[in-house]
Amino acid sequence: GAVVSQHPSWVICKSGTSVKIECRSLDFQATTMFWYRQFPKQSLMLMATSNEGSKATYEQGVEKDKFLINHASLTLSTLTVTSAHPEDSSFYICSARAGFAGDHQPQHFGDGTRLSIL
Amino acid sequence: GQNIDQPTEMTATEGAIVQINCTYQTSGFNGLFWYQQHAGEAPTFLSYNVLDGLEEKGRFSSFLSRSKGYSYLLLKELQMKDSASYLCAVMDSNYQLIWGAGTKLIIKP
């Protein structure tokens, strides 16, 4: 149980392109989804937290207009990197959690999306 | 500020036992998680501790001492496939996960 699917797993595109990444919880309802970015040999960096039906909460330093997050249902959240540039190249990982914050449920991760902007 | 400390890298031998330590200072505590992350892959959940003591799951065990702000992950009968980074994460009073930088574990034959 607790499977999270993330697509695509790998994207290469030209600078200025917008890229959409999908994160789905396959066998549970995810009240909260998280988007992380990870650079090589570095720790996970939380970008934003999204709750179904409400606006995402972005971490300090993360541009809301650059990284658009939509959590339209209890099983789907999307991250759109708008007008991507080479410095946006990274490993993007989503995670999903069932229940509410006080339930102490673990986050379950998707397989990640490796984004390369040329 | 909030801080999670764990060793950057550890080396162990196949078949042996290794203990990965994690110390934390956070605003509140609502549990500690351990995750395993293989290179180029997303993390996978290993264990969760919220009460003091040892939780055992097969070859992996996790220990917590809340008064000391300390946890460890114990891996027994090490296998080559255990080579990975091990991430310690603490859930603070706002139920946010605070992540450690991870410990890269290298297993040698």
mmCIF file of all heavy atoms in Angstrom, chain A residues 56-58 62-69 80 82:
data_model
loop_
_atom_site.group_PDB
_atom_site.id
_atom_site.type_symbol
_atom_site.label_atom_id
_atom_site.label_comp_id
_atom_site.label_asym_id
_atom_site.label_seq_id
_atom_site.Cartn_x
_atom_site.Cartn_y
_atom_site.Cartn_z
ATOM 1 N N ALA A 56 -1.314 26.374 -2.189
ATOM 2 C CA ALA A 56 -0.095 25.790 -1.628
ATOM 3 C C ALA A 56 0.628 26.788 -0.738
ATOM 4 O O ALA A 56 0.542 28.000 -0.938
ATOM 5 C CB ALA A 56 0.825 25.333 -2.752
ATOM 6 N N THR A 57 1.344 26.261 0.230
ATOM 7 C CA THR A 57 2.192 27.073 1.104
ATOM 8 C C THR A 57 3.626 26.898 0.648
ATOM 9 O O THR A 57 4.161 25.789 0.688
ATOM 10 C CB THR A 57 2.056 26.622 2.566
ATOM 11 O OG1 THR A 57 0.694 26.714 2.962
ATOM 12 C CG2 THR A 57 2.914 27.499 3.470
ATOM 13 N N TYR A 58 4.240 27.982 0.214
ATOM 14 C CA TYR A 58 5.584 27.915 -0.330
ATOM 15 C C TYR A 58 6.625 28.231 0.745
ATOM 16 O O TYR A 58 6.394 29.075 1.608
ATOM 17 C CB TYR A 58 5.735 28.909 -1.485
ATOM 18 C CG TYR A 58 4.975 28.511 -2.731
ATOM 19 C CD1 TYR A 58 3.604 28.747 -2.840
ATOM 20 C CD2 TYR A 58 5.624 27.892 -3.792
ATOM 21 C CE1 TYR A 58 2.907 28.373 -3.979
ATOM 22 C CE2 TYR A 58 4.944 27.518 -4.933
ATOM 23 C CZ TYR A 58 3.578 27.762 -5.017
ATOM 24 O OH TYR A 58 2.889 27.382 -6.151
ATOM 25 N N VAL A 62 11.174 30.368 -2.473
ATOM 26 C CA VAL A 62 10.605 29.660 -3.620
ATOM 27 C C VAL A 62 9.582 30.565 -4.293
ATOM 28 O O VAL A 62 8.644 31.038 -3.645
ATOM 29 C CB VAL A 62 9.943 28.331 -3.191
ATOM 30 C CG1 VAL A 62 9.322 27.641 -4.398
ATOM 31 C CG2 VAL A 62 10.958 27.441 -2.507
ATOM 32 N N GLU A 63 9.770 30.809 -5.570
ATOM 33 C CA GLU A 63 8.895 31.736 -6.293
ATOM 34 C C GLU A 63 7.573 31.078 -6.652
ATOM 35 O O GLU A 63 7.523 30.105 -7.411
ATOM 36 C CB GLU A 63 9.590 32.190 -7.580
ATOM 37 C CG GLU A 63 10.895 32.932 -7.369
ATOM 38 C CD GLU A 63 11.565 33.208 -8.712
ATOM 39 O OE1 GLU A 63 10.935 33.844 -9.565
ATOM 40 O OE2 GLU A 63 12.712 32.768 -8.904
ATOM 41 N N LYS A 64 6.498 31.651 -6.167
ATOM 42 C CA LYS A 64 5.160 31.091 -6.409
ATOM 43 C C LYS A 64 4.803 31.137 -7.888
ATOM 44 O O LYS A 64 4.147 30.232 -8.407
ATOM 45 C CB LYS A 64 4.100 31.887 -5.641
ATOM 46 C CG LYS A 64 4.270 31.897 -4.150
ATOM 47 C CD LYS A 64 3.184 32.735 -3.495
ATOM 48 C CE LYS A 64 3.434 32.832 -1.999
ATOM 49 N NZ LYS A 64 2.400 33.630 -1.314
ATOM 50 N N ASP A 65 5.208 32.218 -8.561
ATOM 51 C CA ASP A 65 4.827 32.368 -9.963
ATOM 52 C C ASP A 65 5.684 31.506 -10.880
ATOM 53 O O ASP A 65 5.321 31.260 -12.019
ATOM 54 C CB ASP A 65 4.961 33.834 -10.393
ATOM 55 C CG ASP A 65 4.002 34.727 -9.627
ATOM 56 O OD1 ASP A 65 2.922 34.216 -9.220
ATOM 57 O OD2 ASP A 65 4.322 35.902 -9.413
ATOM 58 N N LYS A 66 6.791 31.058 -10.355
ATOM 59 C CA LYS A 66 7.704 30.215 -11.124
ATOM 60 C C LYS A 66 7.303 28.744 -10.997
ATOM 61 O O LYS A 66 7.342 27.993 -11.962
ATOM 62 C CB LYS A 66 9.118 30.407 -10.575
ATOM 63 C CG LYS A 66 10.167 29.504 -11.144
ATOM 64 C CD LYS A 66 10.634 30.034 -12.460
ATOM 65 C CE LYS A 66 11.799 29.223 -12.969
ATOM 66 N NZ LYS A 66 12.152 29.649 -14.339
ATOM 67 N N PHE A 67 6.924 28.365 -9.812
ATOM 68 C CA PHE A 67 6.572 26.981 -9.521
ATOM 69 C C PHE A 67 5.095 26.938 -9.114
ATOM 70 O O PHE A 67 4.743 27.146 -7.956
ATOM 71 C CB PHE A 67 7.463 26.420 -8.408
ATOM 72 C CG PHE A 67 8.922 26.428 -8.744
ATOM 73 C CD1 PHE A 67 9.757 27.444 -8.282
ATOM 74 C CD2 PHE A 67 9.474 25.431 -9.539
ATOM 75 C CE1 PHE A 67 11.111 27.453 -8.602
ATOM 76 C CE2 PHE A 67 10.831 25.434 -9.857
ATOM 77 C CZ PHE A 67 11.642 26.446 -9.394
ATOM 78 N N LEU A 68 4.263 26.643 -10.099
ATOM 79 C CA LEU A 68 2.813 26.643 -9.872
ATOM 80 C C LEU A 68 2.360 25.265 -9.389
ATOM 81 O O LEU A 68 2.645 24.260 -10.034
ATOM 82 C CB LEU A 68 2.079 27.005 -11.168
ATOM 83 C CG LEU A 68 2.424 28.357 -11.783
ATOM 84 C CD1 LEU A 68 1.656 28.562 -13.078
ATOM 85 C CD2 LEU A 68 2.123 29.486 -10.806
ATOM 86 N N ILE A 69 1.657 25.251 -8.284
ATOM 87 C CA ILE A 69 1.199 23.998 -7.718
ATOM 88 C C ILE A 69 -0.319 23.980 -7.655
ATOM 89 O O ILE A 69 -0.946 24.941 -7.219
ATOM 90 C CB ILE A 69 1.788 23.785 -6.309
ATOM 91 C CG1 ILE A 69 3.294 23.552 -6.418
ATOM 92 C CG2 ILE A 69 1.113 22.608 -5.598
ATOM 93 C CD1 ILE A 69 4.018 23.552 -5.097
ATOM 94 N N THR A 80 4.045 22.841 -11.950
ATOM 95 C CA THR A 80 4.434 23.360 -13.257
ATOM 96 C C THR A 80 5.588 24.326 -13.082
ATOM 97 O O THR A 80 5.464 25.329 -12.365
ATOM 98 C CB THR A 80 3.250 24.071 -13.946
ATOM 99 O OG1 THR A 80 2.162 23.160 -14.085
ATOM 100 C CG2 THR A 80 3.661 24.572 -15.329
ATOM 101 N N THR A 82 7.397 27.041 -14.719
ATOM 102 C CA THR A 82 7.107 27.939 -15.835
ATOM 103 C C THR A 82 8.383 28.583 -16.350
ATOM 104 O O THR A 82 9.283 28.923 -15.583
ATOM 105 C CB THR A 82 6.120 29.038 -15.411
ATOM 106 O OG1 THR A 82 6.717 29.802 -14.350
ATOM 107 C CG2 THR A 82 4.811 28.449 -14.930
#
